[in-house]
Amino acid sequence: MALRRFFVGGNWKMNGNKESLEELITTLNTASLHDETEVVCAAPSIYLDFARSSLDPRIGVAAQNCYKVAKGAFTGEISPSMIKDCGVDWVILGHSERRHVFGEGDELIGQKVAHALESDLGVIACIGEKLEEREAGTTEEVVYAQTQVIAENVKDWGKVVLAYEPVWAIGTGKTASPEQAQEVHEKLRAWLRANVSDDVADSVRIIYGGSVTGANCKELASQGDVDGFLVGGASLKPEFVDIINARA
């Protein structure tokens, strides 16, 4: 079985200014981080250059979104080629806030995934069910459908990290229990095995997002199919270091 390198992403969302981010970056640069964990910080697009030039090279940087073409008359958008030009290697796509606050549909997210990968960006592709979907018992149906659209647009899975983020757990303080997270991750891996390949199922990293903290990260990290985290609020605090070191 492929050894999956633990992956911890920090999604800063629309937070921070140069002063507060410089402080956070100094904390990360000087912290003792577990060598075997891949760390990526997703900065607001206006700070991508700043984040990349300030962060230690061992820490990756991601954009939080991008558009589906390289350039053109798309006011307010950024493209993978611009992201790459800032020395940034990753992008988050399909985050639930993009889906539910900004109305991005599966088809658009799929097109973005395809273009980002063609542009040689790594993609953190997000999926997850809303509270009413979990309560209605349709979690699997929802996440399989979202994963399907992503899978149709991926040629090289080596550049993809799948982030399972139950929408009801994002920023709410409600975390999926380690068992709930493991159950969905295990089912997603089985879906990949059945619909993509054994190799991809064994090697692709499926990370968990949704109110991950220094307090709950170790127990979540001990689950066999949880290969890391996408961290929101806690990624702006010193406890992000504890989350990075959850497997240390």
Side-chain angles (χ1 to χ4, degrees):
M1 198 180 92
L3 187 66
R4 299 187 294 269
R5 188 179 178 203
F6 204 68
F7 183 102
V8 177
N11 181 8
W12 297 350
K13 305 191 180 182
M14 197 175 74
N15 292 298
N17 53 34
K18 283 190 177 174
E19 189 186 1
S20 68
L21 293 176
E22 191 146 23
E23 217 171 293
L24 175 66
I25 287 167
T26 303
T27 301
L28 293 174
N29 285 352
T30 54
S32 166
L33 306 180
H34 189 42
D35 281 346
E36 284 161 40
T37 295
E38 185 168 4
V39 184
V40 173
C41 292
S45 60
I46 200 163
Y47 294 136
L48 283 172
D49 229 338
F50 171 72
R52 184 57 290 167
S53 56
S54 309
L55 274 166
D56 188 286
R58 68 189 169 149
I59 299 170
V61 177
Q64 298 175 10
N65 188 29
C66 68
Y67 199 49
K68 62 179 180 178
V69 291
K71 60 178 183 172
F74 301 104
T75 302
E77 293 291 325
I78 62 171
S79 71
S81 63
M82 293 170 176
I83 294 166
K84 294 283 290 184
D85 196 37
C86 290
V88 171
D89 293 321
W90 290 91
V91 65
I92 298 173
L93 290 173
H95 191 279
S96 71
E97 287 149 20
R98 298 305 316 171
R99 292 176 188 267
H100 305 304
V101 180
F102 298 100
E104 291 189 11
D106 274 326
E107 187 185 7
L108 175 60
I109 292 162
Q111 291 165 338
K112 289 181 176 195
V113 167
H115 180 62
L117 291 170
E118 279 158 18
S119 310
D120 203 34
L121 267 186
V123 172
I124 302 165
C126 303
I127 57 176
E129 82 283 6
K130 295 194 276 200
L131 184 59
E132 57 269 31
E133 292 165 336
R134 176 162 279 266
E135 286 174 345
T138 58
T139 296
E140 280 168 60
E141 212 174 301
V142 170
V143 298
Y144 290 167
Q146 291 169 339
T147 308
Q148 173 77 44
V149 179
I150 292 162
E152 285 165 3
N153 287 283
V154 175
K155 291 189 184 81
D156 175 12
W157 282 90
K159 305 276 289 180
V160 179
V161 170
L162 205 51
Y164 168 61
E165 298 202 295
V167 182
W168 49 271
I170 298 175
T172 58
K174 289 181 183 150
T175 313
S177 69
E179 295 73 28
Q180 281 174 318
Q182 169 59 21
E183 184 188 8
V184 177
H185 284 228
E186 199 175 333
K187 286 177 174 165
L188 282 167
R189 210 174 294 288
W191 187 93
L192 291 170
R193 198 173 299 288
N195 296 278
V196 184
S197 74
D198 281 341
D199 277 356
V200 168
D202 287 336
S203 63
V204 84
R205 292 169 293 180
I206 306 175
I207 64 175
Y208 171 78
S211 300
V212 177
T213 64
N216 62 24
C217 64
K218 272 197 162 31
E219 201 185 347
L220 283 161
S222 70
Q223 304 297 311
D225 288 294
V226 175
D227 303 315
F229 304 116
L230 188 55
V231 184
S235 70
L236 294 156
K237 302 173 188 161
E239 74 180 286
F240 187 50
V241 173
D242 301 327
I243 298 171
I244 291 168
N245 293 332
R247 279 255 177 107

